[in-house]
Amino acid sequence: MVEFKFIQYGTDFGTRDMGQKLRQKLLPLIKENDKVVLDFTGVNVVSNSFADECIAKLLLEMSLEELKQHTTFKGLNPLANRSVLVALQRRYKVIKGC
């Protein structure tokens, strides 16, 4: 198990650009490890657009089941948790054509 600590890159994540950069760092970790802990401890803001770009777009590379199997979340505050959940739900619906 490996941890990806978002706090190393800042405390406020609002842009798609940053989401893309961090997704590119995450993807190899997820593919090379059994489990990656996505550690948001100390992070204040996670916008919907960042969550979509960084987390939800992983669904373009793997199924929801694979994502669940290989990742877990830690340290999300309630607002960040909601942003990630909404982004995953929206992206999943787009992929499934709902």
Side-chain angles (χ1 to χ4, degrees):
M1 186 171 349
V2 88
E3 283 194 353
F4 185 89
K5 295 182 178 282
F6 283 84
I7 194 74
Q8 293 178 316
Y9 303 96
T11 57
D12 300 311
F13 298 100
T15 66
R16 285 194 173 273
D17 183 53
M18 179 60 89
Q20 179 185 14
K21 287 176 185 171
L22 294 186
R23 179 170 34 87
Q24 289 171 345
K25 292 179 182 295
L26 272 175
L27 194 54
L29 283 177
I30 293 168
K31 290 187 175 187
E32 295 167 5
N33 294 279
D34 286 336
K35 188 71 102 175
V36 177
V37 177
L38 306 178
D39 187 357
F40 284 87
T41 302
V43 172
N44 298 318
V45 176
V46 175
S47 72
N48 287 341
S49 57
F50 173 85
D52 179 56
E53 195 69 41
C54 183
I55 308 297
K57 278 193 174 179
L58 291 170
L59 294 175
L60 299 174
E61 303 287 336
M62 64 192 71
S63 70
L64 180 59
E65 291 309 313
E66 288 174 295
L67 184 61
K68 286 180 181 180
Q69 181 181 0
H70 293 288
T71 62
T72 189
F73 291 88
K74 176 181 170 184
L76 280 166
N77 67 41
L79 291 174
N81 187 57
R82 177 145 174 79
S83 291
V84 170
L85 182 60
V86 167
L88 284 167
Q89 288 173 333
R90 288 178 180 165
R91 181 62 56 181
Y92 185 76
K93 285 181 181 178
V94 167
I95 290 169
K96 290 297 179 189
C98 298

